[in-house]
Amino acid sequence: MDKINNSFSWDSFTIKELEKKHDLTETAKRDGMGDEPKSNSEGYSVTENEIKLECDTYLEKHINGLREFFKNIEEKQNQLSGYLKQNHFEPIINRLDADFNTLANEKKIKLADYKNSYDTYQDEKHQFKKYHQISREPNSATLGTTLKAAAIIIFLLIVEVAANSSMLSGSMTGGLLEGFAVAGSVAFLNVFISAFIGFYVVKKFNHLEKAKRFFNIFLGSLYFIIIFYINLALGAYRSLAEKGLQAQITGNLSGEEIDQILKQAVTPWNVDFTFVGLILTFVGLSFAFISVVDGLVYNDSYPGYGKIGQKVNDYKDLIKKTFHDYATDVSRLFANYNKELQEKLNELLNKDLNNWDSNTNLIQKEFITYSAKINDLEEKTSHMITEYRNENKRVRKSEPPKYFDTAYKLHEDKKDPKIVFPDVAYHFMDDDNREKAKLNYSSSIDEKFKTSEIEYQNIQKKSEELQKELHEKYNV
């Protein structure tokens, strides 16, 4: 709601200009010498009527202009007065209550769904424990344990590739490149495949069902034999190559003889291992064992138990997250609406009420200005008419009309702005009444704001009670 910043502009009403325009002194002499107006005349002379017409024209022009000016102020004041009487805080509180109920219902539905799913998987976990005769809780994988298990595998792979490449490159005809290729292949078996076997095969060694347990023991044993043989053969190859290269350097063996010697690596149990060969075998088998254990313990050592526990934990985490989100969202909701209430209070008191006060003061100022202008107009018009009469009486031979003794006066209805402008007069107030009205508006606004604060606190209390109720009902 805006205030009116401009004031009404009055034109000048100048005696000298009007006297010159109507040649007042000469006209008064001429009329007086002709004994005009007649002694028995009761109405104004032509010149007096012309001066009076100047006054009336000036007055009507500015009254009409002021009516248009006051029309805008009246509209603004009607709007402001009605606006200030309204309760602008109640709609905010109603929206807060509606938004809170929407938010609370959304969280209730989520919590109910999550709790139902949690109970379902919790029952499934209990049935799983009962069927598989497990008395402990599952060691289910989390994001942290998953990253840790993956980090172990990657670390083992990098270390083994680097170590094996270094130890094999000297014994490979292709040098470092061939050593890296062989080392990478063996490391992939020792690390990735071993972790896979640990997770999908070794984990089932303690399965309750005998058929599954024995089948996976068979697969695991077969894999262990294969991985043991590959690492043993790799160590044997490294040992034979080391001895063959030494013999070739001394010239005791040809290249074909060395190739025949290296073929003995396929029967590593007949080979005398060098220290580097033993280290190569030990590193490979150690990393394979660590990878198997890593796969075994990841997401629980009993097959399928960790996955069931994960489902339970996932919904448990979702319930906790929903509680946390509820608290955060409700806190943000109340903070936003509290800010809106404060902003509306400041806007009403510091803007709208001040605009109303400014507009009311402007009406008072314009009424005072109008009275002053009208009095000045009456005085100037009376002065010119009196001047005309005095000059007329001075030169005339007959007695002047009796009405010459009555000074010119404007009608009282034209002097009082409350009568002239009845529509806007409703908003006219003197300083004391304006301050009282402003104080009443301010008190009313404060009272409505305090009522809204109580309602705001009641909704907050309802939120706290609901949060407590939800915790009691859905917390796990």
Side-chain angles (χ1 to χ4, degrees), residues 259-281:
D259 289 340
Q260 292 297 322
I261 292 174
L262 292 177
K263 290 178 180 179
Q264 296 177 22
V266 296
T267 56
W269 46 84
N270 294 325
V271 176
D272 291 331
F273 278 73
T274 63
F275 178 75
V276 176
L278 286 172
I279 292 297
L280 190 62
T281 300

Side-chain angles (χ1 to χ4, degrees), residues 103 325-338 456:
L103 176 62
D325 290 345
Y326 173 83
T328 302
D329 293 344
V330 166
S331 177
R332 185 185 300 112
L333 180 71
F334 279 102
N336 290 339
Y337 274 98
N338 182 58
Y456 176 90

Side-chain angles (χ1 to χ4, degrees), residues 19 24-25 27-29 31-33 36-37 45 48 51 382-396 398 400-401 403-407:
E19 287 178 344
L24 190 63
T25 303
T27 303
K29 286 180 179 179
D31 289 348
M33 292 177 68
E36 291 293 336
S45 67
E48 287 175 304
I51 295 172
S382 177
H383 172 82
M384 287 187 289
I385 290 176
T386 300
E387 187 175 320
Y388 167 84
R389 290 173 179 176
N390 290 337
E391 185 64 24
N392 183 284
K393 287 190 292 184
R394 190 179 67 82
V395 300
R396 69 185 294 137
S398 63
Y403 79 83
F404 268 25
D405 296 330
T406 304

Side-chain angles (χ1 to χ4, degrees), residues 5 56 110 129 131 217 219 251 283 315 327 355 369-370 388:
N5 293 314
D56 292 342
K110 279 189 176 183
K129 287 174 66 176
Y131 177 80
I217 289 175
L219 289 179
V283 169
Y315 282 100
N355 288 347
T369 301
Y370 176 85
Y388 167 84

Side-chain angles (χ1 to χ4, degrees), residues 353-419:
L353 184 55
N354 284 343
N355 288 347
W356 174 89
D357 182 66
S358 176
N359 291 346
T360 304
N361 187 54
L362 179 62
I363 293 172
Q364 180 191 16
K365 177 183 174 183
E366 292 297 338
F367 272 31
I368 293 172
T369 301
Y370 176 85
S371 296
K373 291 288 185 180
I374 294 306
N375 289 333
D376 182 66
L377 176 65
E378 182 185 61
E379 183 180 337
K380 288 179 178 179
T381 304
S382 177
H383 172 82
M384 287 187 289
I385 290 176
T386 300
E387 187 175 320
Y388 167 84
R389 290 173 179 176
N390 290 337
E391 185 64 24
N392 183 284
K393 287 190 292 184
R394 190 179 67 82
V395 300
R396 69 185 294 137
K397 298 174 182 178
S398 63
E399 290 294 324
K402 291 183 177 180
Y403 79 83
F404 268 25
D405 296 330
T406 304
Y408 173 79
K409 295 286 184 182
L410 284 171
H411 197 280
E412 289 299 323
D413 288 349
K414 295 293 185 179
K415 289 185 175 183
D416 190 349
K418 295 179 183 178
I419 298 175

Side-chain angles (χ1 to χ4, degrees), residues 77 81 85 356-368 418 424-441:
Q77 285 303 86
S81 298
K85 291 176 183 178
W356 174 89
D357 182 66
S358 176
N359 291 346
T360 304
N361 187 54
L362 179 62
I363 293 172
Q364 180 191 16
K365 177 183 174 183
E366 292 297 338
F367 272 31
I368 293 172
K418 295 179 183 178
V424 78
Y426 172 80
H427 298 288
F428 171 81
M429 298 179 188
D430 57 26
D431 290 341
D432 289 339
N433 288 330
R434 189 179 77 252
E435 286 300 320
K436 289 179 182 178
K438 184 177 180 181
L439 183 61
N440 289 336
Y441 277 128

